[in-house]
C-alpha cells in the first residue's frame, strides 16, 4: 500500500515536471533573475505603447478634422 502511494506521487511529480518544462518555466525563472532583461523588455514595451498611442491619436484627430 505504501509503495503504491509512493509510485503515484512519483508519477504525479514527473508529470508536473514535464508540464513545467514544456511550458518553458525554467526560461521564465531565468528571465526573472535578470533585472537587466526585465528593464529592457519593459522599456521596449513602453516605447511601443507610446508609439501606438501617438499613431492612433493622429488617425483619430485627422478623421475628426476631416469631418469638421
Amino acid at each position: 500500500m505504501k509503495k503504491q502511494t509512493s509510485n503515484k506521487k512519483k508519477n504525479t511529480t514527473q508529470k508536473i515536471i514535464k508540464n513545467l518544462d514544456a511550458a518553458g518555466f525554467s526560461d521564465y525563472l531565468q528571465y526573472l533573475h535578470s533585472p537587466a532583461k526585465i528593464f529592457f523588455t519593459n522599456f521596449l514595451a513602453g516605447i511601443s505603447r507610446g508609439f501606438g498611442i501617438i499613431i492612433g491619436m493622429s488617425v483619430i484627430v485627422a478623421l475628426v478634422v476631416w469631418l469638421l
Side-chain angles (χ1 to χ4, degrees), residues 5 10 14 16-17 23 28-29 32-34 36 38 46 48 58 65:
T5 305
K10 194 173 190 178
Q14 288 174 349
I16 291 171
I17 291 171
Y28 180 67
L29 286 178
L32 288 179
H33 287 289
S34 174
I38 294 172
S48 299
S58 297
V65 169

Side-chain angles (χ1 to χ4, degrees), residues 7-66:
N7 284 338
K8 283 184 180 181
K9 285 182 182 180
K10 194 173 190 178
N11 288 338
T12 304
T13 304
Q14 288 174 349
K15 286 180 184 178
I16 291 171
I17 291 171
K18 282 183 184 179
N19 288 336
L20 288 174
D21 192 36
F25 191 69
S26 61
D27 295 334
Y28 180 67
L29 286 178
Q30 286 178 350
Y31 171 76
L32 288 179
H33 287 289
S34 174
K37 276 187 180 181
I38 294 172
F39 177 79
F40 186 68
T41 303
N42 286 330
F43 180 72
L44 287 180
I47 289 174
S48 299
R49 277 188 220 107
F51 188 68
I53 289 170
I54 290 171
I55 297 297
M57 287 303 295
S58 297
V59 170
I60 290 172
V61 169
L63 286 173
V64 168
V65 169
W66 182 72

